[in-house]
Amino acid sequence: MKDAKDLTDGQLMARDIFCLLAGIILMLLGAWAMTWLIWGVITLHVVGTVEGLMVLPCWLLGITLLDIATGSTGEEATR
């Protein structure tokens, strides 16, 4: 994989926009799954296994992609 310094400005902007949109979508998907998980436990007294398994990976990957998009990781953060 290429280092960030080898990418053109257009490629860096495309990476940032993709990571931002993908991160937001994953965070919303995780929030949706958590809502259904809580709703199912409270109203139906069942545990949604699929929703429970979706929440953590969606939020962790979403946070990671948002960090990449905002530039809070890597060389930029150490300067």
Side-chain angles (χ1 to χ4, degrees):
M1 185 171 155
K2 289 185 173 184
D3 291 335
K5 59 185 172 187
D6 294 338
L7 299 176
T8 65
D9 289 339
Q11 290 172 326
L12 289 172
M13 187 185 319
R15 180 199 66 185
D16 290 343
I17 291 171
F18 172 78
C19 287
L20 181 68
L21 291 176
I24 290 171
I25 289 169
L26 283 171
M27 294 296 286
L28 289 173
L29 182 63
W32 170 84
M34 181 57 81
T35 302
W36 278 104
L37 179 67
I38 293 171
W39 180 82
V41 169
I42 291 173
T43 60
L44 302 175
H45 306 291
V46 297
V47 177
T49 305
V50 173
E51 290 86 355
L53 293 174
M54 285 175 54
V55 173
L56 189 61
C58 284
W59 282 349
L60 290 177
L61 188 57
I63 289 170
T64 302
L65 289 173
L66 290 174
D67 281 346
I68 292 170
T70 58
S72 61
T73 57
E75 285 185 24
E76 298 86 13
T78 59
R79 291 184 193 168

